[in-house]
Amino acid sequence: MSVQNNSKRLAAVAAGAFLAAGMSLGSVAPALAVEAPTQSATASVTSAEAAALKQQKSKIIEFHRLVNQFRQSNGVAPMTFNVGAAVDAYDWSRTQAQDGKLKHQQPHQRYQPLEGLWGAWGENVAYSSSQSAAEMFTQWKNSPGHRANMLSERFDTYGVAFFTDSHGRMYGTTVFYGTGSGLTHLPYTYASPTAYFNGQAALPTDGSTPQPAGPFSDVSTNHTFLTPITWMKEEGVTTGYADGSFRPGQAITRGEAASFLYRISGDQASNNGGPQFTDVDPTTSHYQAIRWMAKNHYSLGYGDQTFRPNQQVTRAELASFVFRASEENHTATETSPFGDVSESSSHYLAISWLRAQGGISGYADGTFRPGRDVTRGETAKMLYVLK
């Protein structure tokens, strides 16, 4: 356990180091909330850092529940979750695992956007042969110095992360902050890790009411397709566009549909075999997905040996793609649920199945409009049945 004040990053004050039960290393020092020099935050969490945190999502959420439950049971206000601190915690846990020993960060802070904005800082480190965040929390709780950090009223936000070495030993780091510089919250602070992982807005540093944020700049929290689009982002099915948008009203191509389905499947096996298509270049981004579709007979393309990857997908075609990829059995209703979908249609079974799964609902006039191009938002809803 290490604690220090922020006085323009002067040398840390430390009073004693010890090995506690469960091999938790720590140093104890006063943590005084003093005014810190102002410095603007100019960077954000990278996609690689976000992916590393997402891989341990369940552990981080479990730790958050335990530490704030512990604080509240001792009459201390709960802490918020800071992603910058969690990035620090992940990086330092990995460093300790690579070095094979516990130690504190010197210099302690690696996530520069928080520099100069805090009034108090602290750190707990530990390792365990268990992969349980709850067990590591218990180690810290049973160690006086580490317990003091978790119960300190000087700290109002924190980040935690873990890293497992090649021997199965899990290293953990908790980085604590006390907000300074007259801010209500440090940058990249969220009400909880669940709020962060669900794509909610960060808490404003000036204490104003946060505006709800959807998973993409053009998908609000009240969007018709919010749930399936959020799921697609969280599962890595799509990252949207470089400008942060998803473009839910934009039509998709057959190649894009193949890639969405391929990512959902998680099938990384060889995609050799199946028909070759004369218009699918092996160097294109959709090549493996299209070969996977053909190999599994989800789409055999057209009679002229083309797949037409750049052609827009119709609502009926996508329904058939999704139905085949589900590999489920279905007995269609004897009477079509839609006035413009005949029971003799080659897509009827798929449309009947998708409606039964809640992937489609049709239009107010009782039609399905099978020949209409499907939008990215509608695609998300159809694909969501495969979750």
Side-chain angles (χ1 to χ4, degrees):
M1 183 276 293
S2 178
V3 182
Q4 60 187 265
N5 66 336
N6 182 10
S7 182
K8 298 186 179 180
R9 291 176 67 96
L10 295 176
V13 178
F18 62 93
L19 285 173
M23 300 300 289
S24 296
L25 174 66
S27 59
V28 181
L32 302 177
V34 299
E35 184 176 353
T38 301
Q39 179 173 319
S40 299
T42 58
S44 60
V45 176
T46 68
S47 57
E49 291 165 343
L53 295 181
K54 185 179 178 181
Q55 288 181 342
Q56 45 195 295
K57 172 181 175 180
S58 61
K59 292 179 182 178
I60 291 173
I61 291 175
E62 173 69 358
F63 181 85
H64 181 82
R65 181 186 68 82
L66 291 169
V67 72
N68 275 339
Q69 187 179 69
F70 184 45
R71 285 172 68 91
Q72 289 178 303
S73 67
N74 283 273
V76 183
M79 292 186 291
T80 51
F81 177 75
N82 189 278
V83 179
V87 169
D88 264 354
Y90 173 75
D91 182 67
W92 194 244
S93 294
R94 179 176 57 185
T95 297
Q96 292 176 95
Q98 291 171 344
D99 293 348
K101 61 181 180 180
L102 292 170
K103 55 185 179 179
H104 284 297
Q105 303 187 59
Q106 294 295 333
H108 66 269
Q109 185 180 309
R110 305 207 168 181
Y111 198 64
Q112 292 304 311
L114 300 180
E115 176 59 43
L117 301 178
W118 49 268
W121 179 91
E123 181 181 78
N124 285 354
V125 297
Y127 69 72
S128 171
S129 58
S130 167
Q131 298 300 305
S132 168
E135 185 165 317
M136 187 161 288
F137 164 79
T138 300
Q139 289 182 206
W140 282 325
K141 185 179 74 170
N142 292 336
S143 169
H146 302 79
R147 175 189 178 97
N149 265 353
M150 293 197 293
L151 293 180
S152 175
E153 294 183 351
R154 297 183 178 93
F155 301 136
D156 53 37
T157 192
Y158 81 100
V160 66
F162 310 92
F163 191 90
T164 302
D165 67 13
S166 58
H167 303 292
R169 176 181 289 176
M170 186 177 77
Y171 286 77
T173 303
T174 307
V175 177
F176 303 90
Y177 281 108
T179 303
S181 300
L183 301 177
T184 303
H185 298 290
L186 291 173
Y188 313 115
T189 296
Y190 293 77
S192 68
T194 300
Y196 166 68
F197 289 120
N198 285 348
Q200 296 179 22
L203 299 172
T205 59
D206 61 2
S208 60
T209 302
Q211 297 300 311
F216 296 99
S217 61
D218 55 353
V219 179
S220 64
T221 53
N222 60 356
H223 194 280
T224 301
F225 301 119
L226 172 65
T227 297
I229 291 173
T230 299
W231 167 77
M232 286 184 69
K233 182 180 181 181
E234 290 180 345
E235 295 300 318
V237 180
T238 182
T239 57
Y241 292 88
D243 63 359
S245 67
F246 179 75
R247 305 177 192 176
Q250 179 175 297
I252 71 165
T253 66
R254 289 168 57 84
E256 290 172 329
S259 289
F260 284 162
L261 287 164
Y262 181 51
R263 292 171 195 150
I264 291 171
S265 75
D267 188 356
Q268 301 301 313
S270 171
N271 292 325
N272 295 328
Q276 290 274 16
F277 300 109
T278 59
D279 60 345
V280 180
D281 187 332
T283 64
T284 61
S285 59
H286 303 305
Y287 177 72
Q288 285 295 329
I290 291 171
R291 290 301 305 275
W292 169 80
M293 290 273 286
K295 178 182 177 181
N296 289 283
H297 301 280
Y298 301 151
S299 175
L300 299 179
Y302 293 89
D304 60 358
Q305 294 186 310
T306 63
F307 184 80
R308 306 178 193 176
N310 297 320
Q311 179 176 296
Q312 293 177 343
V313 183
T314 67
R315 287 164 57 83
E317 289 172 334
L318 185 61
S320 288
F321 287 170
V322 175
F323 176 55
R324 292 170 195 150
S326 74
E327 298 186 348
E328 291 191 9
N329 295 318
H330 176 68
T331 301
T333 56
E334 293 183 2
T335 303
S336 174
F338 301 109
D340 58 349
V341 178
S342 169
E343 293 86 347
S344 61
S345 167
S346 60
H347 300 293
Y348 178 62
L349 183 63
I351 292 171
S352 172
W353 171 81
L354 197 56
R355 184 176 187 273
Q357 302 301 313
I360 54 175
S361 55
Y363 294 88
D365 62 0
T367 63
F368 177 69
R369 306 179 193 178
R372 177 180 172 180
D373 293 341
V374 67
T375 67
R376 287 169 59 85
E378 293 168 336
T379 297
K381 182 176 180 180
M382 292 188 189
L383 295 176
Y384 190 57
V385 304
L386 300 176
K387 67 181 186 299

